[in-house]
Amino acid sequence: MRPVHRQPQLGFSLLEVLIAVLILSFGLLGIAALQTNALKNNQSAFQRSQATMLAYYMLDAMRANRDAAMIASYNLSKTCSAPATGSLITNDQAAWISALKTNLGNLNSTCGEITCNVTSCTVKVYWDDSRGLGGASTQTVEIKTRL
């Protein structure tokens, strides 16, 4: 019996390295896409938190002037522009609408609405969330409470 001498294969390890780099690059692209979506959803969640906080801000202003709120003086149909200032009520409403536009962006689609009756008040905040991935582009936060 004669011993068999095999020649080593050349270039096989280079092919393995190229395939590994290709798989790694696809993985890194996937991680980048995942990070982009996470940032979009984080911004969307931040805007929902801001909308909730600003709705409570208006309810607190109405609680401070409860008698006027209970007779529907704070009622405001859906509006996207701040009312003219002058009285305590219009100053509160103008400050609220301005805060909505400052914190939620998109000046044309950020709106607010207030509805009160003898027993309860409802505050609604509308804004455009087209950059977020978690639902429709128009978002609404509605908080109903008793004063």
Side-chain angles (χ1 to χ4, degrees):
M1 295 225 131
R2 293 185 341 198
V4 177
H5 295 319
R6 292 189 173 183
Q7 284 209 300
Q9 291 182 352
L10 300 175
F12 185 69
S13 62
L14 181 60
L15 183 61
E16 287 178 339
V17 170
L18 289 174
I19 291 172
V21 168
L22 182 68
I23 292 171
L24 180 66
S25 63
F26 280 125
L28 291 176
L29 284 174
I31 289 173
L34 185 67
Q35 183 68 22
T36 302
N37 287 339
L39 288 173
K40 286 180 183 178
N41 285 330
N42 192 28
Q43 178 66 25
S44 181
F46 176 72
Q47 286 181 335
R48 281 192 298 275
S49 297
Q50 290 292 313
T52 302
M53 181 193 70
L54 289 167
Y56 280 114
Y57 163 79
M58 191 62 209
L59 288 170
D60 287 340
M62 291 164 47
R63 283 187 180 102
N65 194 5
R66 185 175 187 275
D67 294 336
M70 295 308 286
I71 60 171
S73 297
Y74 272 90
N75 282 7
L76 183 67
S77 61
K78 182 178 177 182
T79 183
C80 300
S81 58
T85 59
S87 67
L88 175 63
I89 296 168
T90 56
N91 288 345
D92 286 344
Q93 290 171 339
W96 180 57
I97 295 291
S98 297
L100 288 176
K101 294 194 175 293
T102 300
N103 290 298
L104 298 177
N106 199 339
L107 302 177
N108 296 328
S109 65
T110 303
C111 306
E113 180 180 355
I114 303 169
T115 308
C116 288
N117 57 34
V118 177
T119 58
S120 65
C121 288
T122 303
V123 174
K124 293 182 183 178
V125 177
Y126 306 90
W127 77 97
D128 180 29
D129 189 24
S130 57
R131 286 182 28 180
L133 299 174
S137 61
T138 302
Q139 295 289 320
T140 305
V141 167
E142 178 179 344
I143 297 178
K144 186 174 184 176
T145 187
R146 296 182 77 148
L147 296 179

